[in-house]
């Protein structure tokens, strides 16, 4: 999970992360070209991670879900010292 630990370090800019989360809300609220484009970008992102990881879809899904958990914890403002971060790689 060293990639996940590295990702956690990359998302120090909480405002940028909150903007990303707002994009997800906007897509959920409307079915249009914007949503189709965001889904395509996310699909491409998933495919890229799958190729980089060189593993099966289960492991890729686990990795991506780990990243979304990090996004959620950061968005909610949990400090790095909080117990919810206890099992994350250093």
């Amino acid at each position: 999970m060293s990639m996940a630990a590295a990702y956690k370090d990359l998302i120090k800019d909480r405002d940028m992360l909150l903007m990303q989360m707002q994009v997800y809300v906007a897509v959920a609220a409307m079915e249009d070209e914007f949503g189709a484009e965001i889904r395509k970008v996310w699909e491409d992102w998933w495919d890229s991670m799958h190729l980089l990881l060189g593993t099966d879809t289960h492991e890729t899904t686990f990795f991506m879900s780990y990243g979304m958990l990090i996004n959620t914890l950061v968005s909610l403002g949990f400090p790095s010292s909080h117990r919810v971060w206890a099992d994350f790689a250093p």
Side-chain angles (χ1 to χ4, degrees), residues 20-82:
Q20 175 187 349
M21 300 302 271
Q22 281 295 99
V23 167
Y24 297 151
V25 170
V27 169
M30 56 186 157
E31 280 293 322
D32 62 3
E33 291 178 24
F34 174 72
E37 183 63 28
I38 297 300
R39 283 188 294 278
K40 177 68 174 129
V41 168
W42 214 94
E43 180 182 17
D44 291 346
W45 182 33
W46 193 96
D47 290 341
S48 295
M49 288 299 104
H50 184 66
L51 289 172
L52 284 170
L53 292 169
T55 187
D56 62 21
T57 57
H58 175 77
E59 288 298 318
T60 302
T61 299
F62 176 77
F63 175 78
M64 296 295 282
S65 65
Y66 208 77
M68 290 305 291
L69 175 58
I70 292 170
N71 288 351
T72 302
L73 296 176
V74 171
S75 294
L76 292 172
F78 282 103
S80 60
S81 59
H82 194 279

